[in-house]
Amino acid sequence: MFRSVALALTLALLAGCDADETLRSYGGADKTWQLVELNGTAFTDMAILTFPARSKIAGNGPCNHFAATLKVPYPWFEVTQFVSTKMACPALAQETAFFDALSAASISEILGDTMILSNPKGLTMVFNAAD
């Protein structure tokens, strides 16, 4: 009897360890996040991101679509395996700033319909949930 209970408890704990602990589970899912401010300056080009699946991040910069992996637990933020299309457009400099900032972000916070990505070096990205 004790062995059965111990085995059941172990399996339950292991199943709990497999839960999605990323930003998606803490308010990021089911929303499209639009970048409105980068380092204290209004971001006037369209840049959005979503959390379409567990440990995944995807979106659009001003020119290109992107996707990446997000595996660190909330409130940490780290994108890996970042891929994007390679189209040119007049807003390519703004897109480069957006992609570079996403890659440099290390801390995340969601406050209702506002998401902030930042790092200890002073980076701040402010997103609003888009309608």
Side-chain angles (χ1 to χ4, degrees), residues 9-32:
L9 182 59
T10 300
L11 291 174
L13 288 173
L14 288 175
C17 291
D18 200 27
D20 184 1
E21 292 293 325
T22 66
L23 187 59
R24 175 180 167 79
S25 293
Y26 290 88
D30 301 326
K31 294 181 182 177
T32 298

Side-chain angles (χ1 to χ4, degrees), residues 48-52 55-61 64-70 79-85 98-99 102-103:
I48 60 170
L49 61 87
T50 63
F51 301 94
S55 300
K56 299 295 179 191
I57 183 172
N60 299 317
N64 292 285
H65 304 289
F66 72 90
T69 301
L70 179 65
V79 293
T80 60
Q81 301 173 345
F82 190 95
V83 295
S84 74
T85 55
F98 171 53
F99 287 171
L102 273 180
S103 296

Side-chain angles (χ1 to χ4, degrees), residues 49-122:
L49 61 87
T50 63
F51 301 94
R54 182 179 178 179
S55 300
K56 299 295 179 191
I57 183 172
N60 299 317
C63 307
N64 292 285
H65 304 289
F66 72 90
T69 301
L70 179 65
K71 289 194 174 184
V72 293
Y74 182 79
W76 309 115
F77 186 89
E78 179 184 359
V79 293
T80 60
Q81 301 173 345
F82 190 95
V83 295
S84 74
T85 55
K86 302 290 182 193
M87 296 183 288
C89 79
L92 199 52
Q94 292 86 340
E95 179 170 273
T96 299
F98 171 53
F99 287 171
D100 287 349
L102 273 180
S103 296
S106 60
I107 303 167
S108 61
E109 181 176 13
I110 291 187
L111 305 163
D113 284 340
T114 301
M115 176 174 65
I116 301 169
L117 303 180
S118 61
N119 72 18
K121 295 179 181 178

